[in-house]
Amino acid sequence: SGKETIVMEALDWLKKKDSSYIVCCIDLFNIRNFSDFIKLWKEKMKEYAGAANEGAIFSFDIDIDSISDSKALELPNLIAGEALKTLIIYFKSFHNFLAMEDDSFKLDWMSQTFSRHKHARYIFTGSFMNPMKTIFEDRKLFYGMTHRVELLPLDKKEICEYISQTFLNYGRVI
């Protein structure tokens, strides 16, 4: 999708410019309840704790499976702090949180937790405007942590010219 391309291009550029970042992508497309989210979250944190340990002087060692949900939400800051890197967590389909049971409490809790993180940054993307507006504008969650990037529709003429030029560059005619 367009937003994913923009995010991935920006993250690739950032990695080339500064290698002190670890990027973690979490797709919430098929996540329907908070316990499934926490399970996925812990799996990703375990994976990125391993990546953070590569080349580290001290090993970040914690039994991620046995920690509480509240401690699990603190992991990005702990992992990045121990690795002396910034952990960027890219959420896809973040709007799915509104479909989860007890979303109100869980999102408030996540917002408060993430706002205290000094070594982690978050990218929230979603496909549906109204749920994203509900989360970020109406409920003002993750306040002060977010910046809205509005993607406008592409111009049809520019798309056609781009496609035609790309085919011509490869010796093909449409």
Side-chain angles (χ1 to χ4, degrees), residues 1 23 30 39 65 69 81 99 109 142-143 151 154 158-159 165 173:
S1 71
V23 178
N30 287 320
K39 181 180 176 190
D65 295 323
D69 294 352
W109 178 38
F142 307 96
Y143 190 77
L151 300 179
L154 299 173
E158 288 179 19
I159 293 171
Q165 187 59 48
V173 179

Side-chain angles (χ1 to χ4, degrees), residues 35 37-47 49 60-73 75 79:
S35 61
F37 166 74
I38 285 293
K39 181 180 176 190
L40 175 63
W41 180 261
K42 286 181 177 182
E43 287 172 9
K44 290 290 187 176
M45 291 304 107
K46 188 183 297 185
E47 179 181 333
F60 179 81
D61 190 26
I62 187 169
D63 183 9
I64 292 174
D65 295 323
S66 67
I67 64 172
S68 68
D69 294 352
S70 61
K71 292 285 186 196
L73 290 180
L75 285 172
I79 292 168

